[in-house]
Amino acid sequence: MCAACGVLSGTPDWMDRAGNPEGIGGKENETRRGERQKLVKMVNILLSPGKAKISDFGEKLIIKGPTGKTKIVDSLGHVWVEADNIGLRLVDPLDEAFLEMIGSSQI
């Protein structure tokens, strides 16, 4: 996935559903914070084979590799590039096995 999603940083991510209960996957009382926590959990499932992990840091995301190398990124679009740089294996967020893991998780 390319980092073009992050070009408009400072605005809500195109995936944000909080405040848009009519949107795909939107829930009536969803908060931005709750939604972001779910996003972090899903991304960590994708990053787990490469032993990298992200955490929420206000408006940014922190990605940490298995050796302790850490990067702060602006958006989800930038996570994939950095995960490939600091993880133990390349990340394919569209890999069917990963999508299956997310689909079966309780997120």
Side-chain angles (χ1 to χ4, degrees):
M1 183 177 292
C2 74
C5 296
V7 170
L8 302 173
S9 67
T11 60
D13 193 276
W14 64 272
M15 292 180 49
D16 290 345
R17 297 295 172 230
N20 183 15
E22 309 271 326
I24 297 170
K27 295 185 177 140
E28 191 169 324
N29 295 319
E30 185 93 62
T31 64
R32 289 204 186 279
R33 177 122 174 99
E35 183 179 54
R36 193 158 167 102
Q37 288 173 343
K38 286 185 198 175
L39 176 69
V40 166
K41 286 180 185 177
M42 284 193 295
V43 171
N44 280 328
I45 291 170
L46 292 170
L47 297 178
S48 63
K51 308 288 188 221
K53 188 172 184 171
I54 68 165
S55 57
D56 193 3
F57 188 61
E59 294 291 317
K60 309 277 186 190
L61 296 166
I62 297 176
I63 181 166
K64 186 174 184 178
T67 62
K69 187 173 181 180
T70 303
K71 289 282 191 167
I72 298 174
V73 296
D74 291 322
S75 68
L76 181 61
H78 297 107
V79 166
W80 311 120
V81 173
E82 292 303 332
D84 286 345
N85 289 334
I86 67 176
L88 296 178
R89 83 183 250 203
L90 297 179
V91 176
D92 180 0
L94 301 177
D95 181 277
E96 288 190 33
F98 291 142
L99 295 173
E100 201 171 296
M101 281 193 303
I102 287 175
S104 65
S105 70
Q106 297 297 319
I107 297 175

